[in-house]
Structure formats: C-alpha cells, structure tokens
C-alpha cells in the first residue's frame, strides 16, 4: 500500500517531520539521495538563546527551547542514542560597542533568564545546547531503512505530488533553488568551520567572540562559522580558514592544529523565519525549509505544525506560512 505522505529529504527538517508522522500514526515514506552534500552534516548543531552582534534573544526561545529539549530527549529514548548535550556559552565582548549593547539590555532584563554573570570581559549564557546531528540522522535513517520507510533516490518533489496525498519538500538548498516555491524570497549563505586538535578545554562550555569555539571531546573542537551571503558552493576556502584560525588562536590565546575544514550552505528568509506550508497553486505539494542557523531550535516546532495541519487541519502560523509572501 502506498503511504499517504512522501517526505523528500532527510536532513534535520525531514527527520523531525518524519518522526512526528510516525508518532501520529500517519503512513509515510522518506526519499533521500544521501547526506554527502547535506548542509545539516556541515552544521555544528548549536542552540544558543542569545546570538549576533546585537545580542538578540532567539525568537520565542522561552517556548521553543524547552519544547526542543523534550523532543530530542524523546528521540534519544526511542533510538537508544545521545543527541542533546547541555552547554553554557562564555560570550566575550568583541569591542566597546558590544559591551554597551549588553549593558543596556541587561538593565531592561531583555536577555533574561539566559544572560548571567557579567564582568568586564563578557558574560555567560545559560540554556545553550548542542545537537549531535550526524548521530541523530544516522540512527533515524537506519531505523526507517529497516522498516522499509526510507528509499535512497533522487526525486522531483513536484512530479511526485500526483502520487501521494501530500509531498513535503525538505531538501534545503536544492528545493529552494529549483523554483517549486518561486514566490518565496529565498536567501543563501555559505558557512564554513574548522576542526581542531586541541586539549585543555572545559567540557560543556562554548567560547564565543565573533566566532564560536565548540569542544567536541577531550581532544577535538570546532570553530565557526563564517557567513558569505549569496554563495552556493561547498568548497572550503583559504580566506575562511585564515579567519577562523585567527579567531581560534585569539579565543584560546595559543596556537591550534587544524585537522578538518567543512563548508555548507544555509537557506534563510528576509524576515528570519522558516517556511512550512502548502504550495498556493498545488495543495498536494508542501515545503519545510529556510531553517537557517537555528534549525536545531525551530525544526521540532515546524514538524509539530505540519502534523497538526495534516491530522487536524490546523493552520500554519503566519510567521511560517509561505502565504506571507504571496503578494
């Protein structure tokens, strides 16, 4: 029997969506061409409730953060893996301007309850986390492959729409560039990070000053990420390597040994919100895309809204619906 829903792409968005479909008892099939070029596999999986040069609290962090933590813990229990790692961020001021921005927001309580323990050099951010993306995607892939719910292939989502009740495109850059949702003003940004051989870091603490430095284990760390709007290639560049190496040296106050270099392309929207919903002219074609740098935080909510829409007819929130670009 053909399943009701076809999920195209098994990155983070597709994996969380398929998981919610499974929990809801909705028959589904995942089709994915492989993770070799997936942006998710080049991402660090950091969830940080306070980000950017302007020190902005992540949108709806007070709701989305506990929801995400519960969802990833649920996946851990079912798949028998470790996915969610609680972290703290030591945010160091890059310049006097950042120090003044923090001081103003600290007075108003705008960054509460996440920004704490400030001093002249910076402050601490509580409530951060890291998602083990490769572990999660690999375990889910193995589960669904054994169950016959995952097929390795490259398909055209729009062409498959006539064969299913709903086809949901979760293919990231590929889906955004192929024009199925051409009215959506997709934006793209190349990001790169380095893998370092380094010892002496504090487990569970991310260092952050313009770039972040993330301990992976007792001998490995990652530093990233760069931001190059409008770039589509995934070829590591010398300029990014030099910038990230300089940041790592500055954060650690010592030399580093580079052991790896990764690059990927993020999909963003001008209003900084992802896109989840049906195509305006083809209601059997849907999309879940544009997660940008906050995929780990927002992906569980996008998946929840998709399943509530499919099983109960609930509308998508205006901030996510592609209808917001219909004009």
């Amino acid at each position: 029997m053909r399943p009701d829903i076809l999920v195209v792409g098994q990155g983070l968005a597709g994996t969380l969506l398929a998981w919610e479909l499974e929990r809801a008892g909705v028959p589904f099939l995942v089709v994915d061409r492989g993770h070799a070029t997936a942006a998710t596999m080049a991402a660090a999986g950091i969830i940080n409730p306070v980000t950017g040069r302007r020190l902005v609290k992540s949108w709806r962090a007070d709701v989305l953060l506990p929801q995400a933590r519960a969802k990833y813990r649920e996946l851990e229990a079912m798949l028998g893996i470790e996915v969610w790692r609680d972290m703290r961020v030591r945010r160091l001021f890059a310049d006097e301007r950042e120090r003044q921005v923090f001081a103003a927001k600290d007075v108003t309580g705008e960054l509460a309850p996440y920004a704490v323990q400030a001093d002249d050099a910076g402050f601490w951010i509580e409530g951060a986390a890291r998602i083990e993306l490769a572990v999660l995607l690999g375990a889910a892939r193995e589960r669904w492959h054994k169950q016959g719910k995952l097929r390795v292939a490259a398909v055209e989502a729009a062409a498959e729409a006539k064969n299913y009740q709903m086809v949901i495109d979760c293919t990231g850059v590929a889906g955004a560039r192929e024009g199925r949702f051409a009215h959506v003003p997709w934006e793209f940004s190349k990001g790169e990070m380095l893998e370092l051989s380094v010892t002496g870091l504090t487990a569970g603490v991310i260092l952050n000053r313009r770039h972040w430095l993330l301990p992976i284990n007792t001998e490995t760390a990652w530093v990233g990420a760069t931001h190059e709007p409008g770039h589509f290639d995934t070829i590591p560049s010398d300029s990014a390597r030099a910038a990230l190496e300089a940041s790592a040296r500055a954060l650690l106050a010592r030399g580093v040994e580079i052991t790896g270099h990764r690059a990927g392309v993020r999909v963003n929207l001008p209003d900084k919100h992802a896109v989840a919903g049906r195509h305006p002219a083809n209601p059997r074609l849907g999309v879940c895309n544009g997660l940008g740098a906050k995929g780990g935080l927002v992906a569980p909510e996008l998946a929840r809204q998709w399943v509530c829409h499919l099983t109960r007819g609930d509308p998508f929130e205006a901030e996510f619906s592609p209808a917001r670009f219909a004009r």
Side-chain angles (χ1 to χ4, degrees):
M1 180 182 296
R2 185 183 295 276
D4 298 338
I5 310 298
L6 179 68
V7 177
V8 183
Q10 198 240 327
L12 183 60
T15 297
L16 269 292
L17 174 56
W19 178 253
E20 287 298 297
L21 292 169
E22 179 173 325
R23 288 183 68 253
V26 178
F28 70 93
L29 174 69
V30 178
V31 176
D32 182 81
R33 62 183 179 180
H35 291 153
T37 61
T40 298
M41 303 306 286
I46 295 173
I47 293 178
N48 186 356
V50 178
T51 61
R53 294 293 307 276
R54 293 181 297 147
L55 304 179
V56 177
K57 186 157 94 171
S58 294
W59 180 73
R60 290 190 185 172
D62 297 344
V63 173
L64 296 182
L65 190 54
Q67 176 180 303
R69 182 184 291 109
K71 182 54 57 180
Y72 291 114
R73 292 297 191 197
E74 176 185 291
L75 281 156
E76 287 179 327
M78 184 59 68
L79 297 173
I81 56 176
E82 185 175 356
V83 171
W84 179 277
R85 296 183 182 271
D86 288 308
M87 309 289 288
R88 303 176 74 209
V89 179
R90 174 57 171 162
R91 177 65 186 253
L92 300 168
F93 297 126
D95 48 36
E96 183 58 29
R97 175 186 171 279
E98 273 193 17
R99 186 177 284 105
Q100 293 175 0
V101 169
F102 174 79
K105 295 192 174 187
D106 191 39
V107 169
T108 63
E110 185 176 333
L111 302 180
Y114 306 108
V116 298
Q117 296 176 317
D119 54 43
D120 289 341
F123 61 99
W124 287 88
I125 301 172
E126 303 287 357
R130 179 196 169 213
I131 308 304
E132 296 274 10
L133 295 172
V135 173
L136 172 59
L137 270 59
R141 192 179 190 85
E142 181 179 1
R143 173 187 179 87
W144 294 327
H145 184 73
K146 289 179 178 178
Q147 295 175 348
K149 296 178 179 178
L150 185 143
R151 179 162 57 93
V152 180
V155 301
E156 168 58 50
E160 294 291 330
K162 63 181 182 294
N163 299 320
Y164 297 85
Q165 292 183 19
M166 174 63 64
V167 174
I168 306 173
D169 189 340
C170 303
T171 55
V173 174
R177 294 191 70 186
E178 289 175 10
R180 302 160 194 148
F181 285 78
H183 66 289
V184 176
W186 305 108
E187 296 179 345
F188 305 92
S189 170
K190 179 181 179 181
E192 301 182 49
M193 69 179 183
L194 301 180
E195 182 177 312
L196 310 175
S197 176
V198 59
T199 59
L201 297 181
T202 303
V205 173
I206 302 170
L207 303 178
N208 188 320
R209 182 172 55 209
R210 292 202 170 100
H211 294 117
W212 45 256
L213 193 143
L214 169 70
I216 300 301
N217 53 46
T218 58
E219 298 180 347
T220 305
W222 293 347
V223 60
T226 58
H227 174 64
E228 294 183 85
H231 288 250
F232 298 99
D233 71 276
T234 56
I235 301 172
S237 66
D238 291 339
S239 60
R241 179 188 176 103
L244 293 172
E245 182 178 5
S247 281
R249 289 176 179 273
L251 284 166
L252 296 173
R254 55 190 164 103
V256 297
E257 178 186 352
I258 300 171
T259 57
H261 190 172
R262 307 184 190 185
V265 179
R266 311 176 190 91
V267 183
N268 309 288
L269 279 302
D271 60 7
K272 309 304 180 185
H273 295 304
V275 176
R278 295 177 185 258
H279 193 283
N282 185 354
R284 296 173 73 173
L285 177 63
V287 67
C288 189
N289 204 341
L291 280 66
K294 298 185 184 295
L297 182 63
V298 74
E301 174 61 14
L302 298 177
R304 186 193 70 80
Q305 290 200 23
W306 253 116
V307 172
C308 288
H309 175 73
L310 292 170
T311 59
R312 303 193 313 224
D314 292 358
F316 293 93
E317 287 190 57
E319 288 89 347
F320 295 134
S321 174
R324 69 188 194 270
F325 302 115
R327 293 188 301 272

